[in-house]
Amino acid sequence: MSVLHICCNLAGSTVFPQLFEALDAQGIEQIVFVPEKRAADLNKNEPRGVKTVRAMTVKQSDALFFFRKAQRSVPAIEKQIDLSGVTLIHAHTLFTDGSIAERLAKKRGLPYVVTLRYSDLSAIWKYEPHLRPMARRILRGAARVVCLGSAAREKVLGWFSGAARDALDEKLHVIPNGIDPAWLDGEPRTAPHAPVRVGFAGRMNERKHPLDALNAALDGFQLLWVIAAVYDDILAAAGGEDFPLAVLVPDAGQETLSQPFPVGVLECIHICLLYTSPSPRD
């Protein structure tokens, strides 16, 4: 198998080079094409040992004329990459990468796989409804569709009905990104003790499954939540004697629920044995 990856977000996330390097370690032949928008992003997050080709094929005006991304990118791919041995195209976003993969696949008679990202669901689909017919067409034409979580899977299935939904359901798979080994390599600062306090700082929303994390806590664990943005419905469900919460509301002082630890974010880091952060931004 030889895979052509189309990945417009390579510069913005280390998930992608880790994926490509892991596939390379398994002996999978691959090449990465990156449709770039900013010259400053050229050569960022280059995967080791995997050929990567970049082209400035995305422009600011494409926000209005979205289809032009694919119009520019497909000729760039054909000019810079030998496609004679490619057997599969993998689009790493639904809209930008998916539109390029669909056009190239149709021209070359190749199957393509598309992975949906959070931005596909929460930004482009939500705020650019004129692109929804294109998105449905890309999904219908894909050999396989990948979501990063079960919530995204159900949302995507909701875009279809009847036989079209059934057809998508058969080829739609949930494959999480996984965990960067760097998160598992750290040494604890203190000796094991009970209770173990687990700290969380960041924006709490349903995508991060806070209640699942609370309910998964083992006996003897003491959870400390320090939250930078509060969603009342989640907090109401999370509050209780078993789950002490410390809630930090921006510009509103300190609010406490249940059996609170009256601390801020920095103090949270110091008093907890384990500290979790759901994203680099948080």
Side-chain angles (χ1 to χ4, degrees), residues 38-44 56:
R38 291 173 287 271
D41 288 337
L42 292 171
N43 302 319
K44 281 187 178 180
M56 299 293 294

Side-chain angles (χ1 to χ4, degrees), residues 198-212:
V198 181
F200 170 93
R203 178 177 293 274
M204 178 180 279
N205 58 40
E206 63 179 4
R207 185 167 61 92
K208 294 169 184 175
H209 303 285
L211 297 185
D212 291 343

Side-chain angles (χ1 to χ4, degrees), residues 33 35 55 57-58 68-78 100:
F33 175 77
T57 58
V58 180
R68 290 182 177 174
K69 297 181 184 182
Q71 284 183 336
R72 297 189 205 97
S73 297
V74 169
I77 292 172
E78 294 178 314
I100 297 169

Side-chain angles (χ1 to χ4, degrees), residues 197-204 214 222-231 235 238-250 252-269 271-272 275:
R197 291 178 177 174
V198 181
F200 170 93
R203 178 177 293 274
M204 178 180 279
L214 286 170
Q222 196 173 61
L223 291 181
L224 170 63
W225 296 83
V226 178
I227 303 164
V230 177
Y231 289 75
L235 290 177
E241 294 183 359
D242 295 333
F243 303 122
L245 301 174
V247 182
L248 187 65
V249 183
Q254 179 94 6
E255 177 186 345
T256 58
L257 293 176
S258 185
Q259 300 174 358
F261 296 100
V263 299
V265 175
L266 293 179
E267 293 168 292
C268 165
I269 296 174
I271 70 172
C272 291
Y275 173 71

Side-chain angles (χ1 to χ4, degrees), residues 122-239:
S122 64
I124 302 179
W125 176 271
K126 184 176 181 179
Y127 296 112
E128 300 188 53
H130 61 288
L131 297 178
R132 292 176 185 176
M134 181 191 73
R136 291 190 179 97
R137 188 184 67 239
I138 293 169
L139 292 171
R140 284 195 297 267
R144 294 288 187 275
V145 179
V146 177
C147 289
L148 303 181
S150 56
R153 185 182 193 278
E154 293 306 312
K155 187 171 293 187
V156 173
L157 285 174
W159 298 352
F160 295 84
S161 61
R165 177 189 172 98
D166 294 338
L168 179 61
D169 188 33
E170 291 182 2
K171 62 182 180 182
L172 185 56
H173 303 272
V174 175
I175 306 177
N177 277 333
I179 300 175
D180 186 333
W183 291 100
L184 305 176
D185 294 339
E187 293 294 330
R189 292 178 310 202
T190 60
H193 61 277
V196 176
R197 291 178 177 174
V198 181
F200 170 93
R203 178 177 293 274
M204 178 180 279
N205 58 40
E206 63 179 4
R207 185 167 61 92
K208 294 169 184 175
H209 303 285
L211 297 185
D212 291 343
L214 286 170
N215 293 328
L218 301 176
D219 291 340
F221 273 62
Q222 196 173 61
L223 291 181
L224 170 63
W225 296 83
V226 178
I227 303 164
V230 177
Y231 289 75
D232 292 337
D233 54 340
I234 293 178
L235 290 177

